[in-house]
Amino acid sequence: MTKTLRVMDVERFATKDGPGIRTTVFLKGCPLHCPWCANPESQSAATLLWFSDKCTACGGCLTACEQGARSGRPGEKPRLDRAKCIACGACAAVCPAGALQISGIERTPASLLEEVLRDADYYETSGGGVTVSGGEPLTQPEALAEFLSLCKQHGLHTAAETCGAFTPAALETCAPWLDLFLFDLKSADSARLAEVTGADLARVTANLRRAVELGREVVVRVPVIPGFNHDEAGMKGIFALALDCGAKRLDLLPYHTLGKNKYAALGRDYPLGDAPMLTKGEVEPWRQLACSMGLDARVGG
C-alpha cells in the first residue's frame, strides 16, 4: 500500500526554515495547542478556512455544498455552519477568490519529491534544500521517512521544524534522513508547559538529547512569548536546559501575530487577544544572556 502524507501547504522560496533557499512542506497534525500557534489549522485533519474578507459574494459555494453548510442570498456574503461542514472541498473548488481553502490533502512522497525538485537549482546555488514543518511533521513518521529518503537520494539537504512532541520510534525512523533539526524548546517549567501547550517536557527533552546524540545538526528554537516565558527566570531555565541536552546553537523567535487571521478563518477567537508583537530589540537582552551562558545565540531564524 502506498504511503501518503497529509499536507497542509507547500511554500517555495522559503528563507527562514534552514540555510539557503528552501521549499517548506507543512504537514497536518500536532498534539499540542500552543495559544500563539501560527498554523492552527494544523491541529486537526482536513479543515476548511473561510477568509470572509476575500469573498466576492458570487454564490458559487451555495450550490456546490451538498451538506447545507453554506447559506445566504445571492449577492451577499454567505454564512458557514461549521457543524454541518465535512471539509469535503467542494466549495473551495468553485471559489474564484480563494476565500475558501481546504487545509489537508493526501500526497504521496513521490509527488512531493517531484514538486520540490522543481527548485533544485536554487537549492544548489544557495546551499538550501527541503524543510518539513507543520504541525508536527514527525507525527507521520513512516511516510515522512520515505519522502526524506527520496530527497536524500537526490542529494537534497533536509531539515525538520519540530516541537519535540513525538515518539522515540518516530525519531529513530526519520533521523537517518535528516541533516538538521530546528527544535522548539518553549519552557523549562514542566507544569507550566503542560498547562499552556499540552507538551510533556520529559519527552521533548529526551528527544532533543537523542537528536544531539545521533550527530545531527540541532538548532534549539525558543519562541519568546509575552506572559509565558518573556522574563529572566523563564529564559535562564530554557538556556540551562538546552545546554544540559547538549545543544550549542539557539535561535530566539520574537512573538508575532502573522497567523492571527487564520483563527477567524477557522471560526475561533485568537487566544492571545491583542498582545503586541515583540521587536528584535526587546529580545536582544535574552540573546546576550544566552551567549553569556555559553550558547551560540541569535535573534530570528
Side-chain angles (χ1 to χ4, degrees), residues 36-40 51 255-266 268-275:
W36 55 86
C37 181
N39 295 316
F51 297 96
Y255 167 69
H256 64 76
T257 59
L258 300 181
K260 189 174 182 178
N261 67 323
K262 293 183 179 180
Y263 288 83
L266 292 168
R268 294 167 52 183
D269 293 330
Y270 184 59
L272 294 189
D274 295 324

Side-chain angles (χ1 to χ4, degrees), residues 138 141 166-176 181 206-208 210-211 214:
L138 272 77
F166 48 77
T167 66
L171 178 59
E172 300 299 331
T173 298
C174 297
F181 282 91
N207 286 331
L208 175 55
R210 181 58 177 158
L214 289 169

